[in-house]
Amino acid sequence: MSVEVAARPVLRVLGPVRIESASGAFEPGARREQAVLALLAAEARPMSRARLAAMLWPDADEVDARARMRRLLHALSHHVGQDALVIDRQTVALARDLCDATDLASLRGALAQGLYRANDETSDESLAALERAAQLAAAEFAEGLALYECDELSAWLERQRESLRQARAQALAQLVVRLEGAGQHERALHHAQELVALDPLNEAAQRQLIRLYATVGQPHAALQQFERCRQLLHDELGVDPEAATRQLADEIRANTATSIDNPPAPVAVQFTHSGDTHLAYQVLGSGPLDILFISGFVSNLEQAWEPGGPANFFRALARDFRLILYDRRGVGLSDRTVDPADTSVSSADALSVLDAAGSRRALVFAVSEGGPIAIRLAVEHPERVAGLALWATLARGTAAPDYPWALTAEQFERWLNALVAQWGRPAAIETFAPDQASDPLLRRWWARMLRLGSSPRCMQAVLRTLALSDVRTLLPQVRVSTLVMHRTGDRAVRVDAGRHVATAIPGAQWLELPGTAHWWWLGDTAPILEAIKDFAKRL
């Protein structure tokens, strides 16, 4: 005879404050309930009820504050369970098992296991602990909680959040040092990218990232990173890079023929036509499988290769595949038509590019607004599509009563008008790349992409047509192997839209990655490239 032991509840304060148990999750709606749970989890000891009352109601007199505290504790005990809190006349604390099961306690344990070791400690156990710590500390402490009327509590919250940022920086810095020392350069590069994104003005971290790019065979990316660092230090601090940073960049230039001053030969642009519309395309690489790339709403085949853009990502794909790129009608080097191009027309255009490139069957890698085009192509011409790899895409351009994961028609029109009003500048970059939006190289690249990618009038026509797209009825008809990828914090296309696509396509593989960048070539790209390679092996 076996006895089932109920799983103990877990209090999470990294991210939104909530308690998770076998019966589900509870998120306190009251700000002060959240604050009490956050305080007790962080302090991990009994706290004075009088002290808590003074922090939560600083403008109330002592009697009133204590009365409010009693009512709050009564409501909180009702919501989270009598056994979750230990309350007496003077103090309140979390029950020991709940206190030990907070995600903050898990973070402290991971830091103790991984951080307080020698710098040459590279056991799997210590490295995994550091990676766990960095992952946990990436969340915001008590996310969304703000009590601006409580000065002492607000200051305490900010200290906790800053402490969390420092803990993540420590974990990432140690990971980079230890992994680089152990020769695990690709893994070290991933964490160096995270560390620089966390603190772009940390020149030592910038130097590590530049060196790792060069070490893994990406000297062009290394010198691009040096230029980003140089521009950022100039713009933010009014200083030049340190001598060690400049010397590193000089050594990389001297040791490689691929540098900013001597870029790779440009990829030839060719033209074909679909009906009366001319389409520009490029082919690079000679791998055994073709990949047709379908872009989002704007592209330009020449600007794509400029520093700041997806050039390194494309070159990485071209090392293993034969990569076919093209500008859709209305954008880039293709004809600037303003005629409506729904997914049927756009699918026919993609087929014309495949024909012109001599591709009989290709893996279609489509991003954002390119996803619906790829889905229609796979349904209407499955013999030409080896598989679908979809990134940050959605099935319908605007929201509907049964599709809440997009902007409403009114919201979309406001967004479009704001985009056009900022055309030629880095418009909406905070939406597409929140963590990298201040990068001067990326800002220049995006502003130039908009100028070269289309005109305001033409882009209004293109985007209004995309807003009308709706391929939901096609999703169950997809019969080719499908991989759907999305970043959890994507602000341009909500992750729920990606989950919907993955759920509706029979047998689709879902890959949800951390991060906020909508643009696939930013942030940690290694998992995306590996996922595409692994997916291709199964086709």
Side-chain angles (χ1 to χ4, degrees):
M1 177 178 177
S2 63
V3 178
E4 289 190 6
V5 179
R8 61 182 179 179
V10 176
L11 171 59
R12 302 200 182 278
V13 294
L14 304 180
V17 177
R18 63 201 185 279
I19 289 184
E20 297 177 354
S21 65
S23 60
F26 166 70
E27 294 189 17
R31 293 179 302 154
R32 286 175 171 79
E33 288 186 3
Q34 296 177 35
V36 167
L37 291 173
L39 279 158
L40 295 177
E43 297 297 330
R45 59 181 175 80
M47 294 190 68
S48 162
R49 292 173 61 162
R51 177 72 174 149
L52 286 171
M55 292 179 72
L56 293 170
W57 293 281
D59 296 331
D61 61 50
E62 184 178 353
V63 174
D64 184 31
R66 284 177 173 271
R68 294 185 186 186
M69 192 70 212
R70 282 196 302 273
R71 290 193 292 270
L72 184 145
L73 291 176
H74 177 76
L76 190 58
S77 296
H78 174 73
H79 290 149
V80 304
Q82 296 288 340
D83 296 337
L85 300 176
V86 178
I87 302 171
D88 59 30
R89 294 177 61 85
Q90 301 298 325
T91 65
V92 59
L94 292 178
R96 175 49 52 191
D97 60 343
L98 185 60
C99 189
D100 292 341
T102 66
D103 51 3
L104 195 55
S106 297
L107 170 60
R108 289 165 175 159
L111 287 170
Q113 188 177 9
L115 196 59
Y116 308 122
R117 304 285 186 94
N119 283 349
D120 58 355
E121 170 63 67
T122 56
S123 68
D124 290 343
E125 180 185 23
S126 66
L127 292 175
L130 282 172
E131 289 183 326
R132 173 66 173 158
Q135 181 185 34
L136 285 168
E140 180 180 275
F141 181 81
E143 181 183 338
L145 177 59
L147 288 93
Y148 299 115
E149 67 275 23
C150 304
D151 292 344
E152 185 180 357
L153 180 59
S154 295
W156 180 86
L157 279 170
E158 185 51 43
R159 289 195 299 273
Q160 294 297 320
R161 288 163 180 165
E162 179 57 31
S163 176
L164 201 60
R165 288 189 287 268
Q166 291 176 0
R168 184 167 186 241
Q170 283 184 295
L172 289 172
Q174 282 294 308
L175 278 167
V176 174
V177 169
R178 296 184 196 181
L179 289 168
E180 186 177 13
Q184 298 187 47
H185 297 119
E186 292 280 0
R187 195 172 166 191
L189 174 63
H190 162 59
H191 295 300
Q193 290 170 329
E194 291 184 311
L195 183 58
V196 167
L198 184 65
D199 184 7
L201 293 175
N202 181 343
E203 191 171 347
Q206 289 274 10
R207 205 156 43 238
Q208 285 177 311
L209 179 55
I210 293 166
R211 183 172 60 248
L212 284 164
Y213 271 128
T215 302
V216 301
Q218 298 185 46
H220 190 65
L223 293 171
Q224 284 186 2
Q225 190 63 41
F226 170 75
E227 176 59 24
R228 291 189 182 97
C229 175
R230 186 198 65 76
Q231 190 68 48
L232 187 66
L233 292 172
H234 176 271
D235 292 346
E236 297 293 327
L237 303 177
V239 300
D240 292 327
E242 296 172 359
T245 310
R246 298 196 304 272
Q247 180 180 351
L248 175 61
D250 289 342
E251 290 173 355
I252 294 170
R253 288 193 187 96
N255 291 334
T256 181
T258 303
S259 72
I260 290 175
D261 299 320
N262 183 25
V267 181
V269 177
Q270 304 178 67
F271 289 86
T272 187
H273 60 86
S274 177
D276 295 331
T277 300
H278 292 85
L279 302 171
Y281 71 97
Q282 294 174 320
V283 180
L284 64 153
S286 57
L289 178 65
D290 291 346
I291 286 186
L292 174 69
F293 176 75
I294 304 180
S295 71
F297 72 89
V298 65
S299 67
N300 180 291
L301 291 178
E302 293 183 337
Q303 177 62 11
W305 297 99
E306 294 300 313
N312 289 328
F313 190 97
F314 286 155
R315 290 194 182 96
L317 278 181
R319 285 196 288 268
D320 296 286
F321 303 96
R322 180 172 176 259
L323 180 61
I324 305 166
L325 310 172
Y326 76 104
D327 286 334
R328 296 203 321 275
R329 65 170 65 204
V331 299
L333 304 179
S334 295
D335 283 348
R336 295 289 181 88
T337 175
V338 295
D339 297 331
D342 59 19
T343 55
S344 294
V345 174
S346 297
S347 173
D349 289 348
L351 199 62
S352 296
V353 171
L354 285 176
D355 290 340
S359 177
R360 298 180 60 186
R361 193 165 178 263
L363 165 59
V364 179
F365 176 33
V367 303
S368 197
E369 294 88 357
I373 300 169
I375 289 164
R376 184 170 290 278
L377 180 66
V379 170
E380 295 181 346
H381 299 280
E383 75 285 356
R384 304 295 296 273
V385 178
L388 286 179
L390 304 175
W391 171 264
T393 194
L394 68 177
R396 180 183 164 92
T398 52
D402 57 348
Y403 191 83
W405 306 299
L407 298 177
T408 65
E410 294 78 12
Q411 290 171 331
F412 182 88
E413 194 65 23
R414 287 197 299 271
W415 175 81
L416 176 56
N417 290 335
L419 181 73
V420 169
Q422 295 288 317
W423 202 258
R425 287 175 278 178
I429 193 170
E430 293 79 7
T431 299
F432 298 119
D435 294 339
Q436 298 87 359
S438 61
D439 184 334
L441 193 64
L442 182 64
R443 293 178 70 85
R444 287 198 297 272
W445 179 87
W446 178 235
R448 184 169 170 79
M449 171 59 80
L450 292 179
R451 293 194 295 272
L452 299 179
S454 189
S455 66
R457 179 170 177 265
C458 186
M459 185 46 57
Q460 284 179 319
V462 169
L463 281 171
R464 284 180 176 135
T465 301
L466 289 171
L468 297 174
S469 65
D470 187 349
V471 295
R472 289 178 295 169
T473 60
L474 297 180
L475 298 179
Q477 302 178 48
V478 174
R479 292 293 180 264
V480 303
S481 297
T482 302
L483 167 67
V484 185
M485 300 173 284
H486 217 113
R487 286 192 176 115
T488 302
D490 191 331
R491 297 182 186 176
V493 177
R494 290 169 53 184
V495 69
D496 290 332
R499 294 191 188 113
H500 167 258
V501 170
T503 302
I505 293 177
Q509 176 186 346
W510 170 246
L511 177 61
E512 186 171 328
L513 297 169
T516 61
H518 177 66
W519 289 330
W520 68 98
W521 74 90
L522 298 179
D524 186 9
T525 60
I528 307 170
L529 290 165
E530 287 303 316
I532 293 173
K533 292 177 188 176
D534 291 342
F535 178 63
K537 291 175 184 176
R538 301 193 298 271
L539 298 179

